[in-house]
Amino acid sequence: MYSESDIEAAVASGAITPAAAAALRESVAQASSTSSVDEESFRLITGFNDIFVTIAAILLLVAIGWIGFTVAVPQEWSGSDEESARRLAHGLLVAGALVAAASWGLAEYFTRKRRMALPSIILLGTFVYATAAALGGALGSVFSLANNDRVGSVVFAAIGLLTAGAAWLHWRRFHVPITIAALTGALVFALVSLFMAAFPAARDYWLWIMLLGGLSVFAFAMWWDMSDRQRQTRRSDVAFWLHLSAAPMIAHPVFNLLGVFDGQIGAAKAFVVLILYVAFGIIALAVDRRALLVSSLIYVLSALAELFRQAGAVSLNIALTALVIGSALLLLSAFWHNVRRMVVTALPEDLQARLPALDRAVVVTPRAAI
């Protein structure tokens, strides 16, 4: 099976014309009785070799990190708590630096040359996290973070900013779509840490801060989406991962502020949760992204199960909840395009012009493969 990126690579290389690629997309959409613009496609795996390479890469990187940490931190040593912290920081620095370097080196072949999707995503993740670990080890060995929240917040902010810079270099070299989401997450982490350093009392409002960060990431994702309303370029793939990052940052604070998991919830609160989920569904239909629905699912399941329990279906509340939500989501998936059309056409025209297109254009502009 050929992915969207494979088709675009064929267009870029001149193997097929843009018109032929557009005709192929329309043919596939008609054969599957759906609109290709509503499939929210992204490239994750092209064959079992992707899984094979991913497993091998993970094993190699774990071994490199383990060996580096063991060499940097001998198994038998003693010292004060401060000395122990410094040794552990040194181990993180060495192990993180080795894993980050190895991840970049593997990406030179499997991402830049082979264009393998799943290994590229994993290698980007290991590079970013290993870089953050190495920076944490480097700064942790210099600054004492014990009993000093302000210093700790500033150090975390520096780690976030430098990690974002590393992610930017990775993006400039390899252009893996998920990289922008990782970069944005690091920047949000850095800004939140700086805010905590300036206002330590804000720690009591961390859910509100997370919600603000999620809304900011969502707005950034919409900026990428609005620049590619036909969803035929790499910008749409970047927006997909940004939406995937923003969704839990929005859903988790909203429902936790309602106290969904703070013990039993009453019928009124459960109805509020259901209404919020419907609102999230309308937003998901408007922007043609399903991440917000998925991130909110655990909360609406909990609320609906509580409603069934209070109605007397104690032994079947979980089964009835799964039946109702599962049926509703399957119906929504089957009629996504039709329902989305009703939602979008009910919005103001200037807003419609900014949202992802209802119908894909026939002629497309070629782009480079991911």
Side-chain angles (χ1 to χ4, degrees), residues 81-90 92-93 134-159 162:
D81 291 340
E82 183 176 351
E83 180 64 21
S84 298
R86 291 188 182 279
R87 285 179 178 270
L88 290 174
H90 181 65
L92 281 177
L93 170 60
L135 291 170
L139 295 176
S141 62
V142 176
F143 299 97
S144 176
L145 308 183
N147 301 321
N148 196 327
D149 292 338
R150 286 183 180 272
V151 173
S153 296
V154 172
V155 169
F156 287 141
I159 292 172
L162 293 173

Side-chain angles (χ1 to χ4, degrees), residues 255 258 260 265 269-278 299-300 303:
F255 290 108
L258 285 174
V260 175
I265 60 175
K269 188 179 291 186
F271 276 117
V272 171
V273 171
L274 293 177
I275 292 172
L276 276 174
Y277 194 69
V278 172
Y299 300 101
V300 74

